[in-house]
Amino acid sequence: MSEIESGALDLEFILDEANKQQKPELRLWLRMLSTTKLISQEIRRRLRAEFSATLPQFDLLAQLYREPDGLRLGELSKRTMVTNGNVTGLVERLEQDGLVKRETPDGDRRVTVARLTERGTEYFSAMAEAHERWLKDLMADVDHATVDTMLTDVNRLKKSAGNHLSGS
Amino acid sequence: MSEIESGALDLEFILDEANKQQKPELRLWLRMLSTTKLISQEIRRRLRAEFSATLPQFDLLAQLYREPDGLRLGELSKRTMVTNGNVTGLVERLEQDGLVKRETPDGDRRVTVARLTERGTEYFSAMAEAHERWLKDLMADVDHATVDTMLTDVNRLKKSAGNHLSGS
DNA sequence: TATTGTTATACTCTATAACTATA
DNA sequence: TATAGTTATAGAGTATAACAATA
C-alpha cells in the first residue's frame, strides 16, 4: 500500500468517525428502534406460540391486571397509546376469548369499564411470569449496573420526547 | 394522620420500592417499549404527513441509500428484519412510487437487486434530513453525555438479545 | 436438491372520521 | 353542546406456507 493510499484511508477513517459523532441522536434512535424491533419480534413470536396473544393485547391486559376495579375504555386508550376506536376492537377480541368483560356502571351510562375476568386474571398471571422470564433471558448478558443506568436514561428520553410532540 | 397510619404508609413505600428493584429487566423493557412507541408514532405521523411514507419504507430506503450499487432482496430482508415475502411487497410499492427499481444481474437469474432511482435518492435525502431534525428536537432535553452512554448501553442490550433468540 | 423470490392467505394493527347515546 | 364509545373504512404490517424458476 502506498503512502498516499494509506493517508487517504486514515483521512476517511477520521472523517467517518467525525461523522458518526455528528448525529448521535439519530444514531441512538436507529439503534433503539432496531433493538426494540428485534426483541419485540421475539416476544411476539413466543406470545403467539405459547399464549395465542399479541403484544397490544398483552399490553392492554397488563393495564387491567394492575387495576382490579377495571378501567374506562378512554383511560385504557391513553395508557396503551391506542386510539379509542381501536381499543374497542381490542377489548372485543379479548372479550370473545373470555379474558375481559365490559360493564356499564350506574350513574353515567355513557361509560364502559373493562376488567379482567377470573380466567383473564389467571391467564395473564401465567403470561406475565413467562414474559418476565423471557426478558431476563434476553438481557442475560447485560450487567445490573447497566440495566439500572438505562432505566434512568430511557426515562429522561421519554420525558423529553413527551415534551416535544406535535400537539405540545 | 395517626402514628399507625403513618407507619403503614412508610412500610408500603419501602415494600413498593423493594418490588421495583426485583424486576429491573422487565421494567426496563416496558419503559423502552413505551418510549419507542411514543417516538415511533410521532415519527410515523410526520413521515406520513410530509412524505407519504411509512416507517418500514423509510427503513428500507435508508438501507438502499447506503448502498449505491443496491442490495439483493434477501439481504434487504435480513437488514430490515422483514420476511422475504413482505420485502417483495414493500419494494413493489416503492417501485410504483418511482423511488426504487429492480434489476436482475447477469450471472444468476434467480437474484433480484433493488436500488434507489435518481428520484428516490433525492427524495430520501430530504426525508433523512427532516428525520434527523425531528430526532434532535425530540431528544432536546437529553444531555449529550447521556445520549453517548445510551448508545453504548443499547448496543450491549442488542447483542445480548441477539445471543438469546429462539433460533440460537 | 438447494436457493432466490414471488404469490396467496389470514389476521391484526393503525389512523381517520362519521355516528349514536347520554349527560 | 360536550363527552364516551362505537362503527366504518382503508391501508399497511406480520407471519406462514406453498410455489416457480434457476442453480
Side-chain angles (χ1 to χ4, degrees):
Chain A
M1 186 185 287
S2 78
E3 268 183 38
I4 291 172
E5 275 167 1
S6 167
L9 280 175
D10 283 354
L11 184 59
E12 263 180 49
F13 178 76
I14 290 164
L15 286 173
D16 199 39
E17 290 301 299
N19 269 333
K20 280 186 185 171
Q21 298 296 2
Q22 274 177 2
K23 305 176 180 176
E25 292 91 356
L26 183 60
R27 293 181 67 220
L28 173 56
W29 170 240
L30 295 176
R31 200 165 294 184
M32 282 188 71
L33 202 57
S34 66
T35 303
T36 52
K37 188 168 187 180
L38 183 68
I39 299 180
S40 290
Q41 283 185 334
E42 181 69 16
I43 298 291
R44 273 211 300 269
R45 191 157 32 227
R46 298 188 190 186
L47 277 177
R48 195 168 354 96
E50 300 193 21
F51 298 97
S52 304
T54 66
L55 212 46
Q57 287 172 354
F58 178 83
D59 190 17
L60 195 153
L61 292 174
Q63 300 299 335
L64 294 183
Y65 191 74
R66 290 182 205 163
E67 304 282 349
D69 296 335
L71 285 171
R72 290 172 169 216
L73 296 196
E75 182 60 26
L76 255 182
S77 168
K78 277 181 204 159
R79 297 199 190 183
T80 56
M81 294 186 270
V82 170
T83 59
N84 268 355
N86 293 331
V87 159
T88 298
L90 270 171
V91 169
E92 253 165 17
R93 262 166 256 139
L94 293 168
E95 200 172 29
Q96 283 171 5
D97 296 341
L99 303 178
V100 165
K101 61 188 165 194
R102 275 184 287 194
E103 291 164 356
T104 297
D106 303 340
D108 188 341
R109 292 177 39 207
R110 291 173 303 182
V111 172
T112 301
V113 170
R115 53 190 300 177
L116 292 185
T117 61
E118 199 174 331
R119 176 154 167 259
T121 307
E122 283 173 25
Y123 202 68
F124 180 77
S125 177
M127 284 172 68
E129 202 236 351
H131 186 261
E132 192 203 335
R133 208 168 356 95
W134 299 337
L135 261 300
K136 258 192 190 158
D137 181 39
L138 289 167
M139 298 192 184
D141 304 346
V142 184
D143 59 283
H144 295 315
T146 301
V147 171
D148 287 344
T149 306
M150 291 181 79
L151 262 166
T152 308
D153 290 348
V154 174
N155 227 25
R156 270 184 213 157
L157 173 56
K158 187 175 181 180
K159 279 181 189 158
S160 176
N163 287 337
H164 295 83
L165 299 179
S166 290
S168 59
Chain B
M1 186 185 288
S2 76
E3 270 183 35
I4 291 172
E5 275 168 2
S6 167
L9 281 175
D10 283 355
L11 183 59
E12 263 180 50
F13 178 75
I14 290 164
L15 286 174
D16 199 41
E17 289 300 300
N19 269 332
K20 280 186 185 171
Q21 297 296 1
Q22 275 177 2
K23 306 176 180 176
E25 293 90 356
L26 182 59
R27 292 181 68 219
L28 172 57
W29 170 240
L30 295 177
R31 200 165 293 182
M32 282 188 72
L33 201 57
S34 66
T35 303
T36 51
K37 188 169 185 178
L38 183 69
I39 299 179
S40 291
Q41 284 185 335
E42 182 69 16
I43 297 291
R44 273 210 301 268
R45 193 157 30 231
R46 298 189 190 184
L47 277 177
R48 195 167 356 94
E50 300 192 22
F51 297 98
S52 304
T54 65
L55 211 46
Q57 285 172 354
F58 178 83
D59 190 17
L60 194 153
L61 292 174
Q63 300 299 335
L64 294 183
Y65 191 72
R66 291 180 205 163
E67 304 283 349
D69 295 337
L71 285 171
R72 291 173 168 214
L73 295 196
E75 183 60 25
L76 255 182
S77 168
K78 276 181 206 161
R79 297 200 189 183
T80 56
M81 293 186 270
V82 170
T83 57
N84 267 355
N86 293 330
V87 159
T88 298
L90 270 171
V91 169
E92 253 164 17
R93 263 167 256 142
L94 292 168
E95 199 170 30
Q96 282 171 6
D97 296 340
L99 303 179
V100 165
K101 61 188 165 193
R102 275 184 287 194
E103 291 165 354
T104 296
D106 302 341
D108 188 341
R109 293 177 40 207
R110 290 172 305 179
V111 172
T112 302
V113 171
R115 53 190 300 175
L116 292 184
T117 61
E118 197 173 337
R119 177 154 167 257
T121 306
E122 285 173 23
Y123 202 69
F124 179 78
S125 177
M127 285 173 67
E129 204 236 351
H131 186 260
E132 191 202 337
R133 211 169 350 97
W134 299 336
L135 260 301
K136 258 192 190 158
D137 180 38
L138 289 167
M139 297 191 186
D141 304 345
V142 183
D143 59 283
H144 295 317
T146 301
V147 170
D148 286 344
T149 305
M150 290 181 80
L151 262 167
T152 308
D153 291 347
V154 174
N155 227 24
R156 269 183 214 157
L157 174 55
K158 186 174 183 182
K159 277 180 191 161
S160 176
N163 287 337
H164 295 84
L165 298 178
S166 290
S168 56

